[in-house]
Amino acid sequence: MQISTSRLGRSLAAACLCAGLCAALAQPALAVEVGGVKLDDTVQLASRELKLNGAGVRYKVIFKIYTIALYLPEKKTQLADILALPGPRRLEIVMLRDISSDELGQSFMQGLKRSSDQADRTRLLSQTMQFGAMFAMVPGLKKGDILTVDWLPEEGTLCKLNGKQVGDTVPDLAFYNALLKIWIGIHPADTLLRAHLLGDVA
């Protein structure tokens, strides 16, 4: 049985198109490159797909410290909407230089103090101490290390370093929201970085 060249050509073209689509779907979608770090457009967490809301670089004077990305179930540009958003969330921090765990821990604690009022800090003291103890388990962070800080609705705040859990989960959504405020609150660590995380900067 003979097959016409035109029909054969159409079949081959269709096969190539299908293969190309399958290959594209198999690859993670890369949305942006921030501070030399390639960030996925979406991530899977707690059986949900989270979208990249925004990302930026944290500087100290002129030095790049880390790239940070915020993933949410749906994109939001207002702090109140993000804090009220149900479902899982993720902060992903990719180190751009080596720092000690003490430096990172102090940075977190200073950020919490700056971005939360006294009443919230008092109410969340036990969770803050538990979170702070986590840094004692890590000798230091190296350039390229990836720290994820996830909110899991049925569990709490979960931290992983290079995919390995660090410490125990910390309960209370209010504590995770306090962490978010370090970067996207009214008194953020960096106003330009806040704008990037909220998707206000192209």
Side-chain angles (χ1 to χ4, degrees):
M1 184 173 111
Q2 293 186 339
I3 301 176
S4 69
T5 55
S6 60
R7 182 180 174 187
L8 179 60
R10 288 195 299 270
S11 298
L12 287 173
C16 290
L17 178 61
C18 180
L21 287 172
C22 289
L25 291 172
Q27 296 295 321
L30 296 175
V32 290
E33 184 172 311
V34 180
V37 176
K38 292 182 178 180
L39 299 168
D40 290 340
D41 187 46
T42 60
V43 296
Q44 295 291 324
L45 182 64
S47 301
R48 292 285 301 276
E49 181 180 86
L50 304 185
K51 298 176 176 64
L52 178 63
N53 198 73
V57 176
R58 177 72 171 112
Y59 287 86
K60 189 172 184 179
V61 191
I62 61 172
F63 301 105
K64 294 179 179 179
I65 308 300
Y66 53 76
T67 290
I68 182 169
L70 174 62
Y71 289 92
L72 301 172
E74 56 186 274
K75 291 190 176 185
K76 298 291 182 181
T77 59
Q78 300 298 315
L79 173 64
D81 293 336
I82 292 173
L83 299 185
L85 197 62
R89 310 170 193 168
R90 166 169 288 178
L91 282 168
E92 182 174 305
I93 299 171
V94 183
M95 300 308 301
L96 301 178
R97 63 185 290 122
D98 297 357
I99 67 171
S100 69
S101 58
D102 286 343
E103 288 179 280
L104 187 62
Q106 288 174 10
S107 178
F108 268 106
M109 297 310 158
Q110 289 170 1
L112 283 170
K113 183 176 181 180
R114 179 182 56 250
S115 60
S116 301
D117 60 32
Q118 183 62 51
D120 283 341
R121 291 199 300 272
T122 300
R123 185 166 65 85
L124 298 172
L125 181 60
S126 62
Q127 291 97 320
T128 301
M129 291 178 65
Q130 182 182 343
F131 189 78
M134 176 193 75
F135 294 104
M137 304 177 185
V138 181
L141 295 168
K142 303 295 184 182
K143 181 179 179 181
D145 279 352
I146 301 174
L147 178 68
T148 55
V149 185
D150 296 334
W151 169 252
L152 304 173
E154 302 301 322
E155 300 178 49
T157 298
L158 175 66
C159 294
K160 290 185 178 181
L161 179 59
N162 299 324
K164 184 177 180 180
Q165 183 172 337
V166 180
D168 298 323
T169 55
V170 181
D172 197 340
L173 178 58
F175 177 73
Y176 193 85
N177 283 343
L179 290 179
L180 287 181
K181 289 178 185 177
I182 293 175
W183 294 277
I184 63 172
I186 298 173
H187 304 290
D190 183 307
T191 54
L192 181 58
L193 178 56
R194 178 184 190 270
H196 280 289
L197 290 170
L198 292 176
D200 287 344
V201 178

